[in-house]
Amino acid sequence: MAETPGRLAGRVAVVTGAGQGLGRAFAHRLAQEGARVAVADRNAEAARTVAGEIGVAALAVPVDVADEASVASMVDTVAGAFGGIDILVNNAAVFSTLEMRPFEEIGVPEWDLVMAVNVRGPFLCSRAATPLMRRAGHGRIVNISSAAVLLGRPRYLHYVTSKAAVIGMTRSLATELGPDGITVNAVLPGSTETEVPRATVTAEQAARIVDRQAVKRRQVPADLVGVVAFLAGPDSDFMTGQCVNVDGGAAFL
Ligand SMILES: NC(=O)c1ccc[n+]([C@@H]2O[C@H](COP(=O)([O-])OP(=O)(O)OC[C@H]3O[C@@H](n4cnc5c(N)ncnc54)[C@H](O)[C@@H]3O)[C@@H](O)[C@H]2O)c1
């Protein structure tokens, strides 16, 4: 019997920040569902490694999402190699490298860097990819926000503020792009353990996080990939401008 094609067969996806962590897991899953995937990351070597893990359906593309010219060149490269862009996962962010500190101690350069990557980044990538989606009459933008916004997590105000901005961006973009057949949704992951160690989550903090959840275990990337694939695929055709909170039941929308 012939193999059933994946639900993303024929689609082209860009996953930013896919050189490690959640983006890497999203890129793997979208490829498993049949999409060709651009692994777009500032860390070119990491992007190449992940594209190599995925195989022929993947292309490593170096990009700084905060830089307009770099984003334009990334989109051109993907369009040249794959013929278009159907799915954009705005995942790249300044995140695992952040140190937690009281808000008075956050310097302006650090604040500006977080805003440039986490807010300007999804704006630039969406703006560069939508002409291709409009031309195709179809598109999916999945913005990775954070459940930290719902919990008002303290001691990284720049990060939480940037992820709240992504929710506003998701809603307004959904309204602007709906008539063109492009949906825009946000995923709000809870604190998720990836292969990347983080100073922001000590063993004690991890235990406190689990204690607050309804589901009593640490969240892992596999808890999120199906939701991203759903929002990237045909089953979510009539859903746009929404926030999907995946945090084991720590906060309720
Ligand atoms: N892991 C969690 O607990 C968690 C929870 C909520 C939300 N999130 C969000 O999920 C996403 C992925 O998280 P993660 O844990 O994999 O983070 P991570 O820090 O491990 O990975 C971020 C990736 O983005 C890339 N990147 C950083 N700046 C970039 C730039 N300017 N241009 C292009 N690429 C850039 C990095 O090279 C890296 O590969 C982020 O948006 C993060 O805010 C993560």
Side-chain angles (χ1 to χ4, degrees):
M1 211 164 72
E3 210 174 283
T4 317
R7 61 183 160 168
L8 301 181
R11 299 294 190 205
V12 174
V14 172
V15 183
T16 66
Q20 67 181 38
L22 292 182
R24 173 174 170 243
F26 299 150
H28 273 273
R29 177 59 179 260
L30 296 181
Q32 278 163 18
E33 301 256 3
R36 284 172 295 165
V37 181
V39 177
D41 203 292
R42 197 179 46 183
N43 182 340
E45 200 187 321
R48 273 196 301 276
T49 303
V50 173
E53 291 167 3
I54 294 172
V56 288
L59 175 73
V61 191
V63 66
D64 177 355
V65 297
D67 182 88
E68 192 173 7
S70 176
V71 169
S73 145
M74 178 271 285
V75 165
D76 278 355
T77 303
V78 178
F82 289 152
I85 295 175
D86 304 291
I87 299 159
L88 169 65
V89 183
N90 280 315
N91 166 83
V94 180
F95 174 62
S96 61
T97 50
L98 281 176
E99 284 171 25
M100 296 185 93
R101 51 174 73 102
F103 85 93
E104 298 97 325
E105 291 171 23
I106 295 173
V108 169
E110 189 180 350
W111 177 274
D112 285 349
L113 173 69
V114 171
M115 292 303 153
V117 177
N118 298 14
V119 183
R120 191 202 300 156
F123 158 63
L124 290 176
C125 291
S126 301
R127 200 182 62 173
T130 44
L132 298 165
M133 295 178 177
R134 280 196 169 110
R135 212 173 58 203
H138 170 278
R140 291 276 184 274
I141 298 176
V142 182
N143 291 326
I144 307 303
S145 176
S146 172
V149 172
L150 305 176
L151 297 167
R153 273 196 84 189
R155 305 185 75 235
Y156 53 161
L157 194 73
H158 42 5
Y159 176 76
V160 176
T161 304
S162 74
K163 291 297 175 177
V166 167
I167 294 175
M169 191 187 299
T170 299
R171 292 172 176 170
S172 288
L173 255 189
T175 310
E176 285 199 41
L177 295 176
D180 297 312
I182 302 167
T183 66
V184 189
N185 290 288
V187 177
L188 282 59
S191 171
T192 308
E193 243 171 41
T194 72
E195 79 281 11
V196 181
R198 290 205 307 275
T200 45
V201 186
T202 60
E204 230 177 38
Q205 281 160 337
R208 270 206 304 274
I209 288 165
V210 170
D211 193 46
R212 205 168 32 216
Q213 295 166 191
V215 180
K216 300 293 180 194
R217 64 163 172 79
R218 287 289 280 147
Q219 184 165 348
V220 293
D223 294 320
L224 291 156
V225 293
V227 173
V228 170
F230 163 73
L231 293 174
D235 291 339
S236 61
D237 265 357
F238 204 58
M239 179 175 170
T240 194
Q242 304 305 308
C243 290
V244 184
N245 179 40
V246 185
D247 70 353
F252 299 98
L253 271 177

